[in-house]
Amino acid sequence: MLMEINGDRLWNSLMRLAEVGAYDDPNTGLRGVNRQSLTDEDAAGRRLLVSWFTDAGLTVRIDRMGNIFGRREGSDPTAAPVMAASHIDSVATAGAFDGCLGVLGALEVVRALNERGITTHRPIEIAAFTEEEGVRFGTDMLGSAVAAGRITLEHAHDLTDRDGLRFGDELDRIGFHGPHDVRLRPPHAYVECHIEQGPVLADAGVPLGVVTGVQAISWQKITVHGRAAHAGTTPTELRVDAGLAAARIVCRVRDMVDSGDYGRLRGTVGHLRTSPGLPSVVPELAELTVDLRNPDDEHMARAEHDLADFLAELRRGQPGLTITAERMAKTHHVPFDEGVQKTISQAVEDHGLEHLSLMSGAGHDAQEIAAIAPTAMIFVRGRYDGISHNPREYSTPEDCAHGVTVLATTLLRLADQR
Amino acid sequence: MLMEINGDRLWNSLMRLAEVGAYDDPNTGLRGVNRQSLTDEDAAGRRLLVSWFTDAGLTVRIDRMGNIFGRREGSDPTAAPVMAASHIDSVATAGAFDGCLGVLGALEVVRALNERGITTHRPIEIAAFTEEEGVRFGTDMLGSAVAAGRITLEHAHDLTDRDGLRFGDELDRIGFHGPHDVRLRPPHAYVECHIEQGPVLADAGVPLGVVTGVQAISWQKITVHGRAAHAGTTPTELRVDAGLAAARIVCRVRDMVDSGDYGRLRGTVGHLRTSPGLPSVVPELAELTVDLRNPDDEHMARAEHDLADFLAELRRGQPGLTITAERMAKTHHVPFDEGVQKTISQAVEDHGLEHLSLMSGAGHDAQEIAAIAPTAMIFVRGRYDGISHNPREYSTPEDCAHGVTVLATTLLRLADQR
């Protein structure tokens, strides 16, 4: 059976939710969204979402992390539900789609099932997880990580924001500290529809992606100490140039990627800065970040090891130079369930659409739920190289509808599995 | 004839002048000097200096740039004088020696000549030039450049500081807008004693340097525009990484230096910064400065040309990348007079001291006066790798006395030349 959904209704819901926390972005001249978790704006977005869940006949349940669930009963209420979820919290300079497409897409599936009077075998649960972005309390995928048991409730509640405000207190303040147990009973399967946040689908001219997993991520902050010296008077052989060492690290990261020796490694130095930063002073200090991604944990481990070796080699080659590397973040590769991927790609084909299989470079709630249930994701193509975390973030109404149509058929089929 | 000077008196004058504009430096925990030109602190330093000039029997003359001259008459008042000068303005975080050693050293020579009742054939003029540092009004060697005719008085007076205050108005305000013609009548010879501001003498274990000239200096600001992209989702081949291009420029500058193809080239990237500077975003923008120095103008021109070629090559190799280079400063190589150098090195030998011949990497008032008179400089060794523009700047009382002793004998011999 193939489901159809109402693309206009989906789009209207996306645009309506984007008004909550909207602001005029000076950099782009566009209307952006700032709905960081547990702020007043987030609370307003949550209330709107709960009213929509209720209107769609869902039984709403809020847990002790503020995760919001909406349950549509199946013909066998004792069967484990099929779940579709994402998040509605945003970064400070967001667009309308990141996270929201997954939550409102799932809602649209429920609305479409209601219109057609379809009862599935298994219950369907849709959800919005709290603080996926991690921009306010410093840990991303926070709500889903607690729900899946990786992070404890106590730890999460004690996290504080930049102003020292506690997560638990802010949850109370906005009225979303729910009574329900936070540990999620494993669903039968979990599907998340999300914008790609990258250029692969746009570059290939394909509207949809079936996500094979989330690659391993390693963030390091590297600090290089050299010796400040006058650019005009200090002979080259007497210099200990922190900026030069930093530049060599940047080039090395790219050489490692290009070598092919580390599988499908991606490497990025996003932040690089020298001090004191004067034209005529050899840098005394350089700071840089290295972001490595790899779909394979062994390749990742070897890349990290070899980069550390290169830092040691730089140090040995230049007496007086010190280099320290501090880990900022590390997650392992999360492969998604092949059965759920197959159900998704079959749905894409049955709808006469095109898709690619691809790895997710960014983190998503799905990677937490993957620890307790068969999980996969549907990616929707983004315009402008898939720019995200920016008001320019955009997916067309057609592509959004394609993604949610595939979500609908996928959920229907999973919910009828015995 | 060999002159002797009073090293204690010299040191006391240096320490006394350093109290004017003194501040507690939080970075070093030391007492620093902040006596930027035409501030109240500079005015106080100038008044102290004028009182010392007067006490030493000098005829004081202040010109329309605020340059302060003190003249000691010779037996032939019509003969062109021998001049010894430097500056007493400072950067914001200075030590006690930069510039001051040259001015107070020349004053000590006059005091020593007075004590011995020596009359020279030629007059001796000592001077302090205005705004050598260029930190307040943006042009270094300003007072000496106007005195030597490279910059017009009108242009200099119209320069403004960060708060929009005019040089001419500030000169009036502090009461040092003198009546005397600013164009200097060419002296017979010019000698400047200065701290090295570099590590060469310290590294060689030699107290004094005879300066052969000032190398050519080229400053460029390079701006690289790429494309912001998500570090996790953007395939390497779709990236336009401004930070990587910047790092390649840094490495190339060093490779050019190491190649030996550009003579005694020095190259420094002091400032490098990426934007937006987030770990997970490929840099959209990188800014860097390139400081090139070379004792040979032809080598310098070729280095600049080849660096521009490299930027063009980077652009061609990466569609979407733009690189612009903007010239911030450019001065040509200034060779010093061999006769004056010889007089200095003979004086060093006659005093039983050691010296090296070396090129100045930094700019000095001497390079302006070199356009109108035979000129050379004496460098005095600095501690701590010759750190300067920093409260840690330090030369020992012995080394300062050695430099000024050589200055004294040099001035005496030049002033007796017919």
Side-chain angles (χ1 to χ4, degrees):
Chain A
M1 184 170 174
L2 291 180
M3 277 294 293
E4 294 301 331
I5 57 104
N6 185 331
D8 289 341
R9 184 168 55 195
L10 170 67
W11 189 257
N12 289 339
S13 297
L14 281 166
M15 295 304 107
R16 175 70 191 84
L17 182 56
E19 289 168 18
V20 182
Y23 74 100
D24 291 315
D25 185 71
N27 292 320
T28 57
L30 297 173
R31 198 89 171 131
V33 175
N34 182 358
R35 202 169 54 233
Q36 296 178 55
S37 64
L38 312 195
T39 59
D40 291 345
E41 291 74 22
D42 184 36
R46 287 165 171 269
R47 285 191 296 269
L48 180 60
L49 190 69
V50 167
S51 73
W52 284 344
F53 277 18
T54 306
D55 290 349
L58 296 169
T59 306
V60 174
R61 183 173 91 241
I62 297 170
D63 72 16
R64 297 184 60 198
M65 278 297 289
N67 297 320
I68 302 170
F69 298 87
R71 180 177 172 104
R72 186 177 191 272
E73 214 45 84
S75 57
D76 180 358
T78 65
V82 170
M83 182 171 280
S86 196
H87 62 96
I88 66 162
D89 67 300
S90 85
V91 298
T93 59
F97 302 89
D98 180 358
C100 301
L101 178 61
V103 175
L104 301 181
L107 174 62
E108 174 53 33
V109 173
V110 168
R111 287 168 171 168
L113 288 169
N114 290 349
E115 277 178 347
R116 284 161 184 72
I118 295 172
T119 302
T120 53
H121 167 65
R122 295 175 179 277
I124 289 177
E125 288 200 355
I126 70 177
F129 290 113
T130 299
E131 178 70 326
E132 191 269 353
E133 296 292 1
V135 289
R136 183 163 178 206
F137 295 97
T139 302
D140 47 9
M141 278 79 76
L142 188 62
S144 52
V146 176
R150 185 171 66 82
I151 294 178
T152 66
L153 181 69
E154 293 65 35
H155 176 82
H157 274 212
D158 281 339
L159 292 172
T160 52
D161 72 3
R162 215 165 301 175
D163 299 324
L165 297 172
R166 270 182 82 248
F167 180 95
D169 296 341
E170 285 294 281
L171 194 58
D172 283 336
R173 186 184 69 78
I174 66 162
F176 276 85
H177 190 163
H180 287 273
D181 189 6
V182 73
R183 284 300 289 274
L184 194 61
R185 287 182 53 198
H188 173 69
Y190 175 95
V191 185
E192 184 168 348
C193 179
H194 203 283
I195 55 167
E196 182 199 343
Q197 303 183 284
V200 175
L201 297 174
D203 196 58
V206 170
L208 299 177
V210 177
V211 186
T212 58
V214 178
Q215 61 191 346
I217 302 177
S218 154
W219 280 10
Q220 294 178 75
K221 179 177 161 188
I222 297 178
T223 307
V224 185
H225 284 274
R227 197 164 59 217
H230 193 293
T233 57
T234 314
T236 306
E237 65 274 17
L238 295 180
R239 297 181 179 204
V240 185
D241 186 333
L244 177 66
R248 286 186 169 151
I249 296 168
V250 176
C251 294
R252 180 59 161 230
V253 167
R254 179 59 169 255
D255 288 345
M256 287 173 63
V257 169
D258 289 345
S259 72
D261 293 345
Y262 306 92
R264 290 159 60 199
L265 176 68
R266 283 177 189 155
T268 306
V269 175
H271 169 72
L272 170 55
R273 187 175 181 171
T274 60
S275 299
L278 299 172
S280 64
V281 179
V282 174
E284 175 166 35
L285 176 70
E287 281 183 351
L288 64 158
T289 54
V290 177
D291 174 316
L292 300 178
R293 314 251 176 160
N294 207 307
D296 181 296
D297 283 336
E298 273 180 47
H299 278 142
M300 179 65 117
R302 205 149 49 73
E304 286 191 298
H305 178 268
D306 289 0
L307 181 61
D309 271 0
F310 179 70
L311 301 185
E313 194 182 300
L314 274 180
R315 269 192 301 262
R316 277 195 305 274
Q318 174 68 75
L321 196 71
T322 65
I323 305 180
T324 54
E326 178 194 341
R327 182 174 297 297
M328 298 167 71
K330 167 97 185 178
T331 61
H332 291 284
H333 166 225
V334 177
F336 285 155
D337 182 78
E338 290 188 10
V340 179
Q341 288 178 55
K342 212 171 207 168
T343 306
I344 297 169
S345 52
Q346 187 62 53
V348 174
E349 274 183 43
D350 293 347
H351 282 285
L353 297 167
E354 265 191 295
H355 79 276
L356 290 180
S357 284
L358 79 174
M359 177 70 63
S360 173
H364 294 290
D365 290 311
Q367 79 197 57
E368 301 296 336
I369 308 302
I372 59 168
T375 293
M377 294 181 75
I378 302 162
F379 270 177
V380 171
R381 169 170 61 185
R383 284 260 177 102
Y384 315 119
D385 294 316
I387 189 171
S388 181
H389 289 187
N390 188 299
R392 294 179 68 217
E393 174 184 283
Y394 188 76
S395 293
T396 63
E398 293 70 33
D399 284 350
C400 289
H402 286 327
V404 172
T405 299
V406 168
L407 178 67
T409 295
T410 301
L411 289 180
L412 187 63
R413 290 174 178 180
L414 291 169
D416 282 338
Q417 286 177 351
R418 299 289 148 151
Chain B
M1 185 170 172
L2 291 180
M3 276 293 294
E4 294 301 331
I5 58 103
N6 184 332
D8 290 341
R9 185 168 54 196
L10 169 66
W11 188 257
N12 290 338
S13 296
L14 280 166
M15 294 305 107
R16 175 71 189 83
L17 182 55
E19 289 167 19
V20 182
Y23 74 99
D24 290 315
D25 185 71
N27 292 320
T28 58
L30 297 173
R31 197 89 171 134
V33 176
N34 182 358
R35 203 170 53 232
Q36 297 178 56
S37 63
L38 312 195
T39 59
D40 290 345
E41 291 73 23
D42 184 36
R46 287 163 171 268
R47 285 192 295 270
L48 179 61
L49 190 69
V50 167
S51 74
W52 284 343
F53 277 19
T54 306
D55 290 349
L58 295 169
T59 306
V60 174
R61 183 174 91 240
I62 297 170
D63 72 15
R64 296 184 61 198
M65 278 297 288
N67 297 320
I68 302 169
F69 298 86
R71 181 178 171 103
R72 185 175 191 274
E73 214 45 83
S75 57
D76 180 357
T78 66
V82 169
M83 180 171 282
S86 195
H87 62 97
I88 66 162
D89 67 300
S90 84
V91 298
T93 57
F97 302 88
D98 179 359
C100 301
L101 178 62
V103 176
L104 301 180
L107 174 63
E108 174 53 34
V109 173
V110 168
R111 287 167 169 169
L113 288 169
N114 291 349
E115 278 178 346
R116 285 161 185 71
I118 296 171
T119 302
T120 53
H121 167 66
R122 296 175 177 277
I124 289 176
E125 288 200 354
I126 70 177
F129 290 113
T130 299
E131 178 68 328
E132 190 267 353
E133 296 291 1
V135 290
R136 182 163 177 205
F137 296 98
T139 302
D140 47 9
M141 278 76 77
L142 188 63
S144 52
V146 176
R150 185 171 65 82
I151 294 178
T152 66
L153 182 68
E154 293 67 33
H155 175 83
H157 275 212
D158 281 338
L159 291 172
T160 53
D161 71 2
R162 214 164 300 176
D163 299 324
L165 298 171
R166 270 182 82 248
F167 179 96
D169 295 341
E170 285 293 282
L171 195 57
D172 283 337
R173 186 184 70 80
I174 66 162
F176 275 86
H177 190 164
H180 288 273
D181 188 7
V182 74
R183 285 298 292 272
L184 194 61
R185 289 183 51 198
H188 172 68
Y190 175 96
V191 185
E192 184 168 348
C193 179
H194 204 284
I195 54 167
E196 181 198 345
Q197 303 183 283
V200 175
L201 297 174
D203 196 58
V206 170
L208 298 177
V210 177
V211 185
T212 59
V214 178
Q215 59 192 351
I217 302 177
S218 155
W219 280 10
Q220 295 179 74
K221 179 177 160 187
I222 297 179
T223 307
V224 185
H225 284 275
R227 198 164 58 219
H230 191 293
T233 58
T234 314
T236 307
E237 63 274 17
L238 296 179
R239 298 181 179 204
V240 186
D241 187 334
L244 177 66
R248 286 187 168 149
I249 295 167
V250 176
C251 294
R252 180 61 160 229
V253 167
R254 178 59 171 255
D255 288 345
M256 287 173 63
V257 169
D258 289 344
S259 72
D261 293 345
Y262 306 92
R264 288 160 59 199
L265 176 68
R266 282 175 190 159
T268 305
V269 174
H271 170 71
L272 170 55
R273 186 175 180 171
T274 59
S275 299
L278 300 173
S280 63
V281 179
V282 174
E284 173 165 37
L285 176 72
E287 282 183 350
L288 63 158
T289 55
V290 177
D291 173 316
L292 300 177
R293 315 253 174 159
N294 207 308
D296 181 294
D297 285 336
E298 274 179 48
H299 279 142
M300 178 63 117
R302 207 150 48 73
E304 286 190 300
H305 178 269
D306 289 359
L307 181 61
D309 272 359
F310 179 70
L311 302 185
E313 195 180 302
L314 275 180
R315 269 193 301 262
R316 277 195 305 273
Q318 175 67 75
L321 197 71
T322 65
I323 306 179
T324 54
E326 179 193 343
R327 183 174 294 300
M328 298 168 71
K330 167 97 186 177
T331 61
H332 291 283
H333 167 225
V334 178
F336 285 154
D337 182 78
E338 291 189 7
V340 180
Q341 289 179 55
K342 211 171 208 167
T343 307
I344 296 169
S345 51
Q346 187 63 53
V348 175
E349 273 182 42
D350 293 349
H351 282 285
L353 297 168
E354 265 191 294
H355 80 276
L356 290 181
S357 285
L358 79 174
M359 176 72 63
S360 173
H364 294 290
D365 290 311
Q367 77 197 57
E368 301 295 336
I369 308 303
I372 59 169
T375 293
M377 294 182 73
I378 302 162
F379 270 176
V380 171
R381 168 170 62 184
R383 283 260 178 103
Y384 314 119
D385 294 316
I387 190 171
S388 181
H389 289 186
N390 187 301
R392 294 180 67 217
E393 174 184 284
Y394 188 77
S395 293
T396 64
E398 294 68 33
D399 284 350
C400 290
H402 287 327
V404 173
T405 299
V406 169
L407 177 67
T409 295
T410 301
L411 288 179
L412 187 63
R413 291 174 177 179
L414 290 169
D416 281 339
Q417 285 176 351
R418 298 290 149 151

